[in-house]
Amino acid sequence: MARVVRIHEYGDASVLKLEDVDVPSPAENEVQIEVRAIGLNRAEVMYRNHAYLQEAVFPSRLGYEAAGVVAEVGSAVKDFVKGDVVSLIPPSDIARWGTYGEIANVPARNLVKHPANISFEAAAASWMQYVTAWGALIDQAKLTKNDFVIVTAASSSVGIAAFQIARIVGATVIATTRTSAKRQALLDAGAHHVIATEEEDLVARVMEITEGVGARVVFDPVGGPAFEPLTASMARGGILFEYGALSTEPTPFPLFTVLGKSLTLKGYLYNEVVSDDATLERAKVFISAGLASGELNPIIAKTFPLENIQEATLFLESNQQVGKVVVIV
C-alpha cells in the first residue's frame, strides 16, 4: 500500500484525495520509483477541471513530473537498477503514469539519471519546463545569439525556462507580464527586458528594443486579444509558437500582418519532443548538460508536503508564483 492522490470526480482542488492504494509491480517497460518530489503543472489543473485533452476514468491518478529513487524495474528494462536516482520527463498519459503519490510506475524511456549536483526538488521542477522550451526555441526555431525572443506569461516555470535556454545560445529575451509588479523578479530570473502590457505599448517597446526590426521568435501560451500585437511586434519571416490557450477570449487572426511579414504561426505541443526517440534524446543531452553546468537552474517558488496537495494546487492557480511549485514526499 502507498499513499496516492486520486480524483473521483471533476472539480476544484477539494476533489484531490490522498488515499491508501495498492500499486502494482511495473510492466515490462516500466520502472517503479519511490517519489521524493513532484513538480506541479497547469495541465493537471485543467485535467482536474475537465478542461484538458484527456478524459478521466474515475478514480483517476494524475501528475506529470517527479523525481525519486528506483524501487523496481520491469523485465525488459536494461538501463536502470534499484537505487538509481532519477527524474521523469513527463510521458503522454497524465493518469496512467500519474506521479502524485509515494509510489509511481513510469515508462523507462522517459526517465533520466539526473545530474548529481541537483536536488530531488530541482529535478522534479526541471523536465516539463525545459523540454517544452527547448523543443520550440532550439530544436524548431534554431534560436541564435542574433535573435530576439518574446516570452509571454513570463513568470511561469516554462517562461523562466525559456529565458535560461535562450541565454545559453546568446539570444536576447523580451519578457511580457500584465503589470510591473513582477518586473524585477523577471529581470533577476534572466530576462533582458520586461514589458508590462497593461502599462506600456507592446509593439512600440519591442520596436524600440530591437531598433525597428522586431522579434524573430515569439513563445506564447496565452492566445486571445494579445495575439494581434504580438504578430505586429515580430520581424519579417519570424515564427510564433502557440503552446497553450490560457486566454478565455477569442484569438483574432491578423491576416494582413501575417501576409505582409511572411510569418509562420505554429501550434506547438510538448509531445512533439517526447513522442520521437531521436528528438527526446537530443533534449536529454542538452538539458542534462545545462543542469550539470548550472546554466539551467529551475526556480522553485514554494514547496508543500504531500499532505497539503490541495493547498499546493490552489497556490499554483493563484498566479502569485514566480517559478515552479513543488510538492515534497
Side-chain angles (χ1 to χ4, degrees):
M1 298 288 285
R3 294 188 304 162
V4 167
V5 175
R6 299 195 299 182
I7 60 173
H8 295 259
E9 60 183 326
Y10 293 119
D12 61 21
S14 67
V15 304
L16 295 166
K17 304 298 183 184
L18 185 59
E19 304 171 331
D20 290 324
V21 174
D22 279 319
V23 179
S25 293
E28 63 175 1
N29 290 310
E30 293 180 343
V31 171
Q32 186 172 97
I33 62 171
E34 296 175 356
V35 177
R36 301 294 175 82
I38 304 160
L40 301 193
N41 293 279
R42 292 194 181 277
E44 293 141 10
V45 175
M46 295 172 71
Y47 178 73
R48 193 199 72 218
N49 284 329
H50 201 195
Y52 196 53
L53 298 169
Q54 183 177 341
E55 292 281 329
V57 177
F58 299 117
S60 176
R61 292 192 66 159
L62 70 165
Y64 269 136
E65 288 185 278
V69 178
V70 173
E72 187 179 350
V73 300
S75 59
V77 174
K78 306 299 181 187
D79 297 330
F80 299 96
V81 297
K82 185 175 181 179
D84 281 343
V85 176
V86 294
S87 45
L88 178 66
I89 298 174
S92 58
D93 193 311
I94 198 171
R96 177 181 173 186
W97 295 297
T99 57
Y100 284 19
E102 295 175 329
I103 297 288
N105 292 328
V106 297
R109 72 182 291 274
N110 291 69
L111 278 182
V112 179
K113 296 174 185 176
H114 61 247
N117 62 305
I118 67 172
S119 65
F120 285 113
E121 292 82 3
S126 292
W127 289 97
M128 176 68 90
Q129 59 184 12
Y130 289 129
V131 169
T132 301
W134 174 89
L137 302 185
I138 304 301
D139 197 56
Q140 297 190 19
K142 313 297 184 190
L143 198 68
T144 72
K145 65 180 180 180
N146 299 317
D147 287 323
F148 290 87
V149 55
I150 298 173
V151 179
T152 70
S155 61
S156 69
S157 59
V158 177
I160 292 169
F163 300 176
Q164 296 179 1
I165 284 176
R167 278 183 169 271
I168 286 178
V169 298
T172 301
V173 177
I174 303 171
T176 75
T177 184
R178 289 186 301 106
T179 73
S180 57
K182 295 180 180 178
R183 182 186 301 274
Q184 191 57 51
L186 293 173
L187 292 169
D188 293 345
H192 294 91
H193 306 275
V194 177
I195 301 174
T197 56
E198 292 182 358
E199 303 167 11
E200 303 172 83
D201 184 310
L202 174 67
V203 180
R205 285 284 290 120
V206 171
M207 290 305 168
E208 176 188 349
I209 292 165
T210 63
E211 298 182 346
V213 174
R216 186 176 73 82
V217 181
V218 175
F219 189 50
D220 176 56
V222 182
F227 198 78
E228 201 157 10
L230 281 174
T231 58
S233 302
M234 294 175 68
R236 183 172 301 278
I239 183 168
L240 183 153
F241 292 93
E242 193 62 44
Y243 70 98
L246 294 178
S247 176
T248 58
E249 299 180 60
T251 300
F253 184 77
L255 177 61
F256 290 106
T257 302
V258 173
L259 288 173
K261 292 187 175 186
S262 301
L263 300 180
T264 298
L265 309 180
K266 184 181 186 305
Y268 167 71
L269 292 174
Y270 164 91
N271 284 347
E272 293 175 42
V273 177
V274 297
S275 63
D276 181 80
D277 288 341
T279 308
L280 180 60
E281 189 57 35
R282 293 196 301 273
K284 288 179 180 179
V285 170
F286 183 100
I287 295 164
S288 292
L291 291 170
S293 70
E295 291 175 292
L296 298 181
N297 181 28
I299 294 175
I300 297 174
K302 195 170 182 179
T303 62
F304 294 82
L306 181 62
E307 294 77 11
N308 292 356
I309 187 65
Q310 293 182 3
E311 290 85 349
T313 196
L314 285 170
F315 180 70
L316 175 69
E317 293 176 71
S318 74
N319 295 318
Q320 297 176 46
Q321 79 279 8
V322 174
K324 194 79 167 179
V325 180
V326 173
V327 169
I328 298 172
V329 183

